[in-house]
Amino acid sequence: MAEIHLTGRAASSGLAIGPVTLLATAVARRTDVGDPAHEAAALQAAIEAATAEIAGLIESVQGEAADMLEFQVAMIEDDALAEEAYHAIAEGAAADQAWRAALDAEVAGYRSAEDEYFRARAADLVDIRDRVLAHLSGADPAAKIAGDSIVAGEDITPSAFLAADWSRGGAIVLAAGSPSSHVAMLARARGAPMVVGLGPLSWKGHTPALALVDGDTGTVIFDPEPETRRRFELRMASAKAARAAAEAVRTEPARTAGGRPISVLVNVAALDDIDGLDPAICDGVGLVRTEFLFEASHGLPDEDTQYAVYRRIVDWAKGRPVTIRTLDAGGDKPIPGLTADGESNPFLGLRGIRLSLARPQVFRVQLRALSRAAVHGPLKVMLPMITVPSELDRAASMLDAECSALAAKGIACARPPLGIMVEVPAAALRAEDFESAFYSIGSNDLTQYTMAAARDVGAVADLNDTGNPAVLSLIARTVEAGRRRGVEVSLCGDAAADTRLTAVLLATGLTIFSVAPVAVARLKAVIATVRP
């Protein structure tokens, strides 16, 4: 067979070569007893068992994996999800047939949605469907994936991904899927190359034995010719050598080729991000995403719980500065009982600082915990989604009040410096109007709002470009405002780790970048090549 070249959409970068493993997700059927009451009870028990199973998994993971599973819990606990299945059972359908039909209809609806955010959630519904069917039939829905395999299929569920050991290599290639799916997020976090949207993987009836995956360009070659494989292996060897060279200087200070010092900080999305991580690789923590503390199954965290986590991060940094972002909920990060439901455009609604100011009882708890943790090291606090100076002023007044209340009770505390995230064009255009202790540019939202293009919508993905002159102009304007006011300006969005943009971002005057720990070595290596 001649080699087959397919091109899709890059979902997770990297190169991989390995044997092809077809992803099978079939679930065994069961024999119904014909009694609607019995079938309804069986479905209810299976749903409850699946929910408990997901909740148990949440206890073993953190960060994006936990967020993904929390999303599944919220979906499966929605009574509307099973409503059609129970209706079909009442009319004589078997529990497994009714559930499969109801969930298949939901999956089809999500996959055909205009909004890519909803299309990306289809895999979660498939995961829920198969998990409940497994409890009804006694089968195991989890796909068995061997290390080093190139996993090929229509789509992949989060359960199947989490069951594999990606530290051994391998990659994922999908006929469908989405770069903004939960699995794509997990793949990027674990360094597993992933390509989606390849189209039908029929291979004309012949299952290929081997595949080459380029997660940088979104290309896959099945059954490559010997010369094609040889060239690809040379590319892999070169990439491996470059990674090794970068890792060798990971703990060294970052400097441009002209000798200009650059600060490289790390982003922390969950405590497991710093477990076993040497703080010497960075100049501090530029962003702690506190949303992981507000997972739905655990409820809203109390003051002592938050304080313990914040102190642990400050202690880990060993005297290096730690910047913690207050709760950035809303938009694509709903929290049951806290965020608003039914907003027509949640990205322009009650999110970030807007939500915190609207829920002061929750915000004040976080401010107290942060003030207590600030006693233990150089902790800074930044506010997300700031648009006008009055929002910063109100938050500062609340922080002052909580510090005073703690001191009056004899509780050790310190008033941390209060800065803002520059994510809204209005804030970037008038950054000098804010009495902020520092600025942190959130490139994801700043780009999205400037270009009016979401990064998870394929049809407008080309517009969502931080390198666009309009976005770069706002970044440069914010840097200049910081220079005039004598305060630091950092960049903590995804663009900070995009080494294709490093030189142009440095040209704006930026000297502080905050990235995921896995991106530190590569960023430092690229900074060292930039002149002047």
Side-chain angles (χ1 to χ4, degrees):
M1 293 289 293
E3 61 184 28
I4 300 171
H5 292 244
L6 294 180
T7 301
R9 299 171 65 188
S12 180
S13 63
L15 306 175
I17 181 172
V20 175
T21 297
L22 294 182
L23 192 60
T25 57
V27 177
R29 299 178 67 85
R30 60 185 283 276
T31 302
D32 67 279
V33 300
D35 176 22
H38 183 279
E39 292 298 292
L43 178 57
Q44 181 177 350
I47 291 174
E48 290 174 352
T51 304
E53 191 173 56
I54 298 170
L57 287 173
I58 291 172
E59 299 297 329
S60 65
V61 296
Q62 288 186 324
E64 289 178 332
D67 292 342
M68 171 271 295
L69 294 171
E70 291 284 354
F71 180 85
Q72 289 194 7
V73 168
M75 294 182 80
I76 199 171
E77 288 183 340
D78 185 348
D79 293 338
L81 186 66
E83 187 175 342
E84 288 300 320
Y86 285 120
H87 180 72
I89 289 172
E91 295 189 346
D96 60 327
Q97 296 170 356
W99 175 255
R100 182 187 291 276
L103 268 290
D104 283 350
E106 288 287 332
V107 170
Y110 270 67
R111 284 177 174 165
S112 63
E114 292 185 6
D115 189 334
E116 184 155 344
Y117 173 80
F118 289 102
R119 293 201 300 273
R121 305 287 87 83
D124 293 282
L125 277 170
V126 171
D127 212 350
I128 291 170
R129 180 197 67 191
D130 292 351
R131 195 180 292 275
V132 172
L133 287 173
H135 282 284
L136 281 168
S137 65
D140 182 3
K144 300 300 186 292
I145 301 173
D148 301 330
S149 294
I150 306 302
V151 181
E154 179 70 16
D155 205 347
I156 183 172
T157 65
S159 287
F161 180 90
L162 291 171
D165 180 7
W166 297 102
S167 66
R168 299 174 58 189
I172 303 163
V173 295
L174 303 176
S178 167
S180 58
S181 69
H182 280 143
V183 171
M185 297 176 191
L186 294 173
R188 289 191 289 270
R190 286 161 174 74
M194 181 174 177
V195 177
V196 301
L198 290 168
L201 300 177
S202 62
W203 301 300
K204 297 180 180 179
H206 168 76
T207 301
L210 191 77
L212 315 178
V213 180
D214 186 336
D216 300 324
T217 64
T219 58
V220 183
I221 302 174
F222 294 101
D223 282 338
E225 299 288 348
E227 178 60 18
T228 302
R229 177 173 179 172
R230 186 188 69 81
R231 291 196 302 266
F232 191 85
E233 288 175 336
L234 287 175
R235 284 185 60 202
M236 290 185 67
S238 178
K240 183 178 180 180
R243 287 196 303 271
E247 287 294 327
V249 296
R250 190 170 69 147
T251 58
E252 298 296 320
R255 291 183 178 276
T256 66
R260 180 160 55 121
I262 303 297
S263 294
V264 176
L265 315 176
V266 294
N267 297 336
V268 175
L271 287 179
D272 59 356
D273 286 355
I274 59 174
D275 284 345
L277 186 68
D278 183 357
I281 73 166
C282 65
D283 298 300
V285 179
L287 167 65
V288 176
R289 298 180 172 98
T290 58
E291 293 73 53
F292 74 92
L293 286 165
F294 292 76
E295 294 168 351
S297 64
H298 300 152
L300 299 181
D302 61 24
E303 182 181 324
D304 287 341
T305 297
Q306 294 191 54
Y307 162 71
V309 170
Y310 304 150
R311 178 174 179 178
R312 180 177 170 187
I313 297 171
V314 170
D315 289 345
W316 171 85
K318 296 181 178 178
R320 299 171 179 84
V322 173
T323 302
I324 299 180
R325 183 178 69 189
T326 58
L327 178 63
D328 187 18
D332 60 347
K333 293 174 283 191
I335 296 177
L338 184 62
T339 51
D341 295 325
E343 289 184 318
S344 60
N345 192 336
F347 281 97
L348 298 180
L350 201 63
R351 59 170 299 207
I353 190 61
R354 303 170 184 180
L355 179 68
S356 292
L357 294 175
R359 306 283 191 271
Q361 69 280 10
V362 176
F363 191 36
R364 289 181 181 277
V365 171
Q366 186 166 39
L367 293 177
R368 287 197 298 273
L370 289 165
S371 298
R372 290 170 58 191
V375 171
H376 303 287
L379 183 152
K380 301 187 288 186
V381 175
M382 66 178 175
L383 307 171
M385 197 64 182
I386 287 284
T387 306
V388 293
S390 61
E391 293 169 328
L392 171 60
D393 296 340
R394 290 174 61 191
S397 295
M398 294 172 70
L399 178 60
D400 290 339
E402 294 309 318
C403 284
S404 296
L406 287 169
K409 294 179 180 179
I411 299 174
C413 65
R415 204 277 195 187
L418 192 61
I420 67 170
M421 290 198 75
V422 178
E423 305 169 282
V424 180
L429 287 167
R430 301 296 303 177
E432 64 274 11
D433 292 347
F434 295 83
E435 292 296 320
S436 179
F438 60 92
Y439 303 108
S440 182
I441 300 169
S443 62
N444 299 349
D445 275 329
L446 183 60
T447 303
Q448 173 176 248
Y449 292 136
T450 302
M451 304 305 296
R455 60 179 178 154
D456 60 354
V457 177
V460 297
D462 290 343
L463 289 172
N464 190 276
D465 177 17
T466 303
N468 183 279
V471 182
L472 293 174
S473 177
L474 293 176
I475 292 174
R477 190 174 185 129
T478 303
V479 172
E480 177 59 20
R483 188 193 64 77
R484 289 197 303 268
R485 293 193 57 239
V487 300
E488 289 185 345
V489 181
S490 64
L491 178 70
C492 65
D494 284 351
D498 188 344
T499 52
R500 296 170 299 180
L501 296 174
T502 302
V504 70
L505 289 171
L506 287 169
T508 68
L510 277 169
T511 58
I512 307 174
F513 293 72
S514 191
V515 299
V518 295
V520 168
R522 184 183 180 193
L523 176 60
K524 286 184 176 182
V526 172
I527 287 172
T529 68
V530 176
R531 294 183 181 277

